[in-house]
Amino acid sequence: MEGVYISSHPLVKHKLTLLRDKSTDSTQFRQLVNEMAALLCYEATQDLKIIPNTVETPMGTAQGSELAESIGLVPILRAGLGMVDGFLSMVPVAEVWHIGLYRDEQTLKPVEYYNKLPIEPRAQVCLILDPMLATGGSAIATIDLLRKWGARRIKFVGLIAAPEGVKALRDAHPDVPVHIGAVDERLNDIGFIVPGLGDAGDRQFGTA
Ligand code: PRP
Protein backbone atom coordinates (compact mmCIF):
# COMPACT_ATOMS: atom_id res chain seq x y z
CA MET A 1 0.00 0.00 0.00
CA GLU A 2 1.30 3.43 -0.95
CA GLY A 3 2.84 5.36 1.93
CA VAL A 4 3.23 2.23 4.09
CA TYR A 5 6.79 1.10 4.65
CA ILE A 6 7.13 -2.37 6.14
CA SER A 7 10.66 -3.01 7.30
CA SER A 8 12.51 -5.78 5.51
CA HIS A 9 15.57 -5.44 7.74
CA PRO A 10 16.75 -8.84 9.06
CA LEU A 11 17.43 -7.40 12.53
CA VAL A 12 13.89 -6.00 12.72
CA LYS A 13 12.46 -9.40 11.75
CA HIS A 14 14.65 -11.20 14.25
CA LYS A 15 13.84 -8.87 17.13
CA LEU A 16 10.15 -8.78 16.33
CA THR A 17 9.99 -12.56 16.53
CA LEU A 18 11.54 -12.41 20.01
CA LEU A 19 9.00 -9.74 20.98
CA ARG A 20 6.13 -11.95 19.85
CA ASP A 21 7.36 -14.86 21.93
CA LYS A 22 5.23 -15.07 25.07
CA SER A 23 8.20 -16.37 27.06
CA THR A 24 10.07 -13.06 26.56
CA ASP A 25 10.02 -11.27 29.91
CA SER A 26 9.54 -7.51 30.54
CA THR A 27 13.25 -6.77 30.82
CA GLN A 28 14.02 -8.37 27.46
CA PHE A 29 10.85 -6.93 25.97
CA ARG A 30 11.83 -3.35 26.85
CA GLN A 31 15.33 -3.89 25.49
CA LEU A 32 13.95 -5.23 22.20
CA VAL A 33 11.46 -2.36 21.84
CA ASN A 34 14.34 0.05 22.35
CA GLU A 35 16.54 -1.68 19.75
CA MET A 36 13.74 -1.99 17.20
CA ALA A 37 12.90 1.67 17.69
CA ALA A 38 16.46 2.66 16.77
CA LEU A 39 16.33 0.53 13.62
CA LEU A 40 12.96 1.94 12.60
CA CYS A 41 14.20 5.46 13.32
CA TYR A 42 16.96 4.87 10.77
CA GLU A 43 14.37 3.80 8.20
CA ALA A 44 11.84 6.55 8.95
CA THR A 45 14.39 9.37 8.72
CA GLN A 46 15.90 8.50 5.35
CA ASP A 47 14.28 11.47 3.62
CA LEU A 48 15.22 14.17 6.15
CA LYS A 49 16.66 17.25 4.52
CA ILE A 50 20.34 18.08 4.90
CA ILE A 51 22.39 21.14 4.03
CA PRO A 52 26.10 21.34 3.25
CA ASN A 53 28.45 21.80 6.19
CA THR A 54 32.20 22.19 5.95
CA VAL A 55 34.43 21.06 8.81
CA GLU A 56 38.17 20.92 9.39
CA THR A 57 39.41 17.40 10.01
CA PRO A 58 42.89 16.83 11.47
CA MET A 59 43.98 16.24 7.85
CA GLY A 60 42.21 18.99 5.93
CA THR A 61 38.82 20.34 4.87
CA ALA A 62 35.83 18.04 4.45
CA GLN A 63 32.61 18.93 2.68
CA GLY A 64 29.97 17.35 4.90
CA SER A 65 26.31 17.72 5.73
CA GLU A 66 24.13 18.69 8.62
CA LEU A 67 20.52 18.02 9.39
CA ALA A 68 18.35 20.89 8.19
CA GLU A 69 15.15 19.79 9.90
CA SER A 70 14.25 19.70 13.56
CA ILE A 71 12.40 16.70 14.94
CA GLY A 72 9.69 16.28 17.56
CA LEU A 73 9.07 12.81 18.93
CA VAL A 74 5.47 12.19 19.96
CA PRO A 75 5.23 9.01 22.04
CA ILE A 76 1.67 7.88 22.74
CA LEU A 77 1.55 6.87 26.42
CA ARG A 78 2.08 4.44 27.71
CA ALA A 79 3.46 1.94 25.27
CA GLY A 80 5.12 4.57 23.06
CA LEU A 81 7.43 5.53 25.93
CA GLY A 82 9.54 2.46 25.27
CA MET A 83 10.44 3.71 21.79
CA VAL A 84 11.73 7.12 22.89
CA ASP A 85 15.25 6.15 23.97
CA GLY A 86 15.88 4.22 20.75
CA PHE A 87 14.94 7.31 18.75
CA LEU A 88 16.94 9.65 20.98
CA SER A 89 19.99 7.42 20.56
CA MET A 90 19.80 8.21 16.83
CA VAL A 91 18.56 11.81 17.04
CA PRO A 92 19.68 13.16 20.43
CA VAL A 93 18.58 16.72 19.65
CA ALA A 94 14.94 15.75 19.11
CA GLU A 95 12.32 17.19 21.44
CA VAL A 96 9.85 14.81 23.11
CA TRP A 97 6.19 15.73 23.37
CA HIS A 98 4.06 13.27 25.31
CA ILE A 99 0.47 12.48 24.44
CA GLY A 100 -1.55 10.29 26.81
CA LEU A 101 -4.29 8.16 25.30
CA TYR A 102 -5.84 4.93 26.43
CA ARG A 103 -8.20 2.77 24.49
CA ASP A 104 -11.59 2.28 26.11
CA GLU A 105 -11.96 -1.48 26.45
CA GLN A 106 -15.64 -1.48 25.48
CA THR A 107 -15.77 0.99 22.62
CA LEU A 108 -12.09 0.64 21.54
CA LYS A 109 -12.11 4.43 21.08
CA PRO A 110 -9.13 6.45 22.31
CA VAL A 111 -9.56 8.63 25.40
CA GLU A 112 -7.13 11.53 25.85
CA TYR A 113 -5.74 12.09 29.36
CA TYR A 114 -2.46 13.95 28.86
CA ASN A 115 -1.07 16.47 26.38
CA LYS A 116 2.35 18.06 26.72
CA LEU A 117 2.76 19.69 23.33
CA PRO A 118 4.67 22.97 23.44
CA ILE A 119 2.61 26.09 22.81
CA GLU A 120 3.70 26.29 19.19
CA PRO A 121 4.88 23.62 16.77
CA ARG A 122 8.63 24.16 16.66
CA ALA A 123 9.84 21.05 14.88
CA GLN A 124 9.56 20.57 11.16
CA VAL A 125 8.97 16.83 11.39
CA CYS A 126 6.79 15.07 13.99
CA LEU A 127 7.37 11.36 14.49
CA ILE A 128 4.52 9.64 16.33
CA LEU A 129 5.77 6.62 18.28
CA ASP A 130 3.50 3.76 19.30
CA PRO A 131 4.42 0.07 19.18
CA MET A 132 0.91 -0.96 18.12
CA LEU A 133 -1.50 0.14 15.39
CA ALA A 134 -4.63 -1.93 16.04
CA THR A 135 -7.90 -0.20 15.02
CA GLY A 136 -5.84 2.90 14.21
CA GLY A 137 -7.99 5.04 16.51
CA SER A 138 -5.15 6.22 18.77
CA ALA A 139 -2.87 7.13 15.88
CA ILE A 140 -5.66 8.96 14.04
CA ALA A 141 -6.64 10.91 17.18
CA THR A 142 -3.00 11.90 17.73
CA ILE A 143 -2.61 13.10 14.15
CA ASP A 144 -5.90 15.05 14.41
CA LEU A 145 -4.52 16.71 17.53
CA LEU A 146 -1.15 17.51 15.95
CA ARG A 147 -2.80 18.93 12.84
CA LYS A 148 -5.10 21.15 14.89
CA TRP A 149 -2.02 22.35 16.77
CA GLY A 150 -0.31 23.26 13.50
CA ALA A 151 2.11 20.40 12.78
CA ARG A 152 2.80 20.01 9.11
CA ARG A 153 5.00 17.02 8.37
CA ILE A 154 3.98 13.97 10.39
CA LYS A 155 5.03 10.32 10.24
CA PHE A 156 3.80 7.35 12.23
CA VAL A 157 6.33 4.77 13.42
CA GLY A 158 5.21 1.51 15.01
CA LEU A 159 6.43 -2.01 15.61
CA ILE A 160 3.39 -3.98 14.55
CA ALA A 161 0.03 -3.29 12.87
CA ALA A 162 -3.24 -4.89 11.89
CA PRO A 163 -4.27 -4.36 8.24
CA GLU A 164 -7.50 -2.74 9.51
CA GLY A 165 -5.52 -0.11 11.42
CA VAL A 166 -3.21 0.64 8.51
CA LYS A 167 -6.18 1.14 6.20
CA ALA A 168 -8.04 3.34 8.69
CA LEU A 169 -4.97 5.50 9.21
CA ARG A 170 -4.22 5.85 5.52
CA ASP A 171 -7.90 6.66 4.77
CA ALA A 172 -8.02 9.32 7.50
CA HIS A 173 -4.58 10.81 6.83
CA PRO A 174 -3.25 9.80 3.41
CA ASP A 175 -0.35 12.25 3.71
CA VAL A 176 1.10 10.59 6.82
CA PRO A 177 3.62 7.87 5.96
CA VAL A 178 3.50 4.73 8.11
CA HIS A 179 6.75 2.99 9.04
CA ILE A 180 6.13 -0.37 10.63
CA GLY A 181 7.99 -3.53 11.62
CA ALA A 182 5.26 -5.86 10.35
CA VAL A 183 1.62 -5.96 9.28
CA ASP A 184 -0.11 -9.01 10.76
CA GLU A 185 -3.15 -11.05 9.70
CA ARG A 186 -6.05 -9.29 11.38
CA LEU A 187 -7.70 -7.76 14.44
CA ASN A 188 -9.67 -10.09 16.67
CA ASP A 189 -13.10 -9.22 18.05
CA ILE A 190 -11.66 -7.53 21.14
CA GLY A 191 -9.37 -5.33 19.07
CA PHE A 192 -6.08 -7.20 19.48
CA ILE A 193 -3.63 -7.79 16.65
CA VAL A 194 -3.41 -11.48 15.65
CA PRO A 195 -0.96 -13.13 15.96
CA GLY A 196 0.60 -9.91 17.28
CA LEU A 197 2.58 -9.79 20.49
CA GLY A 198 -0.12 -9.22 23.13
CA ASP A 199 -0.36 -5.82 24.81
CA ALA A 200 2.87 -3.87 24.31
CA GLY A 201 2.21 -1.60 27.30
CA ASP A 202 1.51 -4.45 29.72
CA ARG A 203 4.44 -6.52 28.44
CA GLN A 204 6.89 -3.62 28.79
CA PHE A 205 5.80 -2.57 32.22
CA GLY A 206 4.85 -5.92 33.76
CA THR A 207 1.18 -5.06 34.26
CA ALA A 208 -0.40 -7.97 32.37
C1 PRP B 1 -2.51 0.36 22.96
C2 PRP B 1 -1.35 0.71 22.04
C3 PRP B 1 -1.89 1.84 21.21
C4 PRP B 1 -3.34 1.47 21.09
C5 PRP B 1 -3.56 0.84 19.75
O1 PRP B 1 -2.54 1.25 24.01
O2 PRP B 1 -0.17 1.03 22.69
O3 PRP B 1 -1.74 3.10 21.82
O4 PRP B 1 -3.64 0.53 22.13
O5 PRP B 1 -4.88 0.59 19.55
P1 PRP B 1 -5.74 1.33 18.45
O6 PRP B 1 -4.95 1.36 17.19
O7 PRP B 1 -6.95 0.43 18.34
O8 PRP B 1 -6.09 2.70 18.96
P2 PRP B 1 -3.46 1.04 25.30
O9 PRP B 1 -4.80 1.69 25.13
O10 PRP B 1 -3.49 -0.41 25.64
O11 PRP B 1 -2.72 1.88 26.41
P3 PRP B 1 -1.30 1.67 27.06
O12 PRP B 1 -0.27 2.04 26.02
O13 PRP B 1 -1.35 2.62 28.19
O14 PRP B 1 -1.16 0.23 27.50
Side-chain angles (χ1 to χ4, degrees):
M1 191 188 286
E2 201 198 329
V4 180
Y5 305 94
I6 304 171
S7 179
S8 56
H9 199 295
L11 288 175
V12 171
K13 290 175 187 284
H14 176 84
K15 291 175 194 296
L16 184 58
T17 306
L18 295 173
L19 273 186
R20 292 181 186 278
D21 188 337
K22 65 181 182 187
S23 70
T24 297
D25 67 20
S26 290
T27 309
Q28 293 171 295
F29 197 93
R30 282 196 299 273
Q31 179 67 29
L32 288 161
V33 169
N34 182 41
E35 292 167 358
M36 277 192 71
L39 291 164
L40 291 171
C41 176
Y42 177 81
E43 296 194 350
T45 52
Q46 293 206 44
D47 62 349
L48 290 186
K49 294 183 181 62
I50 49 173
I51 50 173
N53 184 21
T54 304
V55 292
E56 293 303 318
T57 80
M59 308 300 288
T61 302
Q63 311 298 330
S65 309
E66 74 177 28
L67 215 48
E69 294 184 292
S70 52
I71 296 175
L73 304 177
V74 186
I76 304 179
L77 307 181
R78 259 176 329 162
L81 279 177
M83 296 176 69
V84 173
D85 282 352
F87 272 73
L88 286 176
S89 70
M90 296 290 116
V91 195
V93 294
E95 295 183 9
V96 184
W97 307 325
H98 299 86
I99 296 293
L101 294 179
Y102 71 87
R103 203 170 63 153
D104 183 285
E105 283 179 11
Q106 304 304 321
T107 64
L108 299 182
K109 300 281 179 229
V111 180
E112 186 182 334
Y113 62 89
Y114 191 73
N115 178 333
K116 204 64 183 171
L117 295 173
I119 292 165
E120 287 185 2
R122 291 194 286 254
Q124 277 128 344
V125 184
C126 293
L127 301 176
I128 299 174
L129 314 181
D130 193 333
M132 304 181 70
L133 184 65
T135 65
S138 304
I140 291 168
T142 304
I143 298 166
D144 289 344
L145 208 137
L146 290 174
R147 286 266 189 254
K148 214 175 286 174
W149 175 61
R152 277 165 298 171
R153 201 159 156 227
I154 302 171
K155 297 179 181 220
F156 176 88
V157 188
L159 306 186
I160 194 165
E164 293 88 338
V166 174
K167 182 175 183 319
L169 178 47
R170 293 295 299 164
D171 287 351
H173 294 288
D175 56 338
V176 174
V178 175
H179 291 266
I180 201 91
V183 178
D184 274 15
E185 284 166 32
R186 64 187 170 87
L187 272 187
N188 68 12
D189 50 11
I190 54 166
F192 272 76
I193 302 169
V194 178
L197 45 75
D199 183 311
D202 284 339
R203 293 198 62 191
Q204 282 181 83
F205 301 116
T207 49

